Amino acid sequence: MDGAVSEAAPRLDLAGKHIVLGLSGGIACYKAADLTRELVKAGASVQVVMTEAAEHFITPVTMQALSNRSVATSQWDAREPNNMAHINLTRGADAVLVAPASADFLAKLVHGRADDLLSLMCLARPIERCPLLVAPAMNREMWAHPATRRNLAQLRADGTTILGPDAGDQACGEIGDGRMLEAVELLEEMVAFFQPKALRGKRVLVTAGPTFEPIDPVRGITNLSSGKMGFAIARAAQEAGAEVTLVAGPVHLPTPRGVQRIDVRTAQQMHDAVLPAARRHDVFVATAAVADWRPATLSDQKIKKNGSKIAPTFELTENPDILAAVARLPDRPYCVGFAAESHDLLKHARDKLERKNVPLIVGNLGPATFGRDDNALMLVDARGHRQLPQADKLTLARQLVAEIASRLSTASA
Ligand code: C5P
């Protein structure tokens, strides 16, 4: 092989999951079509159930074609051998997701009303085995109304998971809270919902991406880190139930849902953001490829060619080592470092373990990972090392998060 790495197979985050997707009446029904596609693409089987009001916004034909199953719309559907669609629909289901959930439908759920198939089915579902999630969609005044506030509090108390809503432009022309989340956001929420909650109640701080060390107003020193591995770790930790803070160097990546992001540019800024926050966290994962050096002086004007053909020279000064500084804190979080090397991975990772005085170093080959969607990791600690073989970065991040969680629970046992 020439050192190239083969692409990992696409991840099917919802493989084996059966989801009942309920649609109540609202303009956001148009998003349910895309949501069905996203869920199916992620490996789920999807059974659509629609209220009569939903059928005014989107047809069962569309939903049937996208879900590849006939849509259930009535409790009087004689096609069911036992004529009990409201029971049968949820018995093999892993979750019911109502998206969109109108204000009226939420009110019906609160009161246990059961005068149409979807509300009847929600009431008749096995509450311990089949969780209910709702994605509200309504006008901002309806969302803010005390009746809706009361209903949401009661739904939460009854164990319902509320997804969103978002704020922004509304179909009615007004602007505010109440827009249903987009299909990809709902997919991300569903995937997270099914992940094991190994870090529930923990706080995780992650650094990601490169840093940029300015030379003059238009140039600087940086590296090829894309930030993908660090962002995947932040997402995986959040999926595992942690409260996550992500300190990101200059990258163009969307913030994982539910993660608090702090953007920085230089190593010094990253250091200044991380150090005061570190004490408040249980885990620190230093994924960022921090520049070791920065120009000693910053030219406030663009450095020009001076015609003499003599290239300018720079003096460099060392950047603070963020990981080592966190590891020196008296009440330090559990620290995980990364080693992106071009060769002798194990040797360099071992060296970092000691030099930075951290319990776990994650090694990877820089040229084989920078910018890519997949990677292979080597976990190195004082006792030995273990490979996490080639996979997409989110899969690896979930494995790493599970490993960190088990080390935390062993440490606190
Ligand atoms: O050998 P190196 O110092 O580059 O070690 C890499 C590890 O240390 C990574 O976890 C990286 O995020 C962290 N690091 C840091 N601050 C630096 C340099 C590296 O936190 N200035």
Side-chain angles (χ1 to χ4, degrees), residues 197-205 234 237-245 280-284 333-334 401 404-413:
K197 302 297 171 218
L199 286 179
R200 200 193 297 277
K202 300 289 182 203
R203 288 173 162 187
V204 176
L205 177 63
Q238 200 276 341
E239 287 178 345
E243 211 179 288
V244 181
T245 312
R280 298 194 302 271
H281 290 80
D282 303 287
V283 178
F284 174 50
Y334 185 86
V401 158
I404 293 170
S406 83
R407 284 161 184 260
L408 284 188
S409 61
T410 316
S412 64

Side-chain angles (χ1 to χ4, degrees), residues 207 267 284 286-292 319-324 336-341 352 355-356 361:
T207 62
F284 174 50
T287 325
V290 185
D292 292 326
N319 272 326
D321 189 316
I322 303 165
L323 176 59
V336 181
F338 263 69
E341 306 295 345
K352 267 175 224 199
R355 192 157 42 84
K356 309 224 174 194
I361 287 282

Side-chain angles (χ1 to χ4, degrees), residues 310-322:
I310 300 170
T313 52
F314 302 105
E315 201 151 313
L316 296 173
T317 184
E318 199 171 353
N319 272 326
D321 189 316
I322 303 165

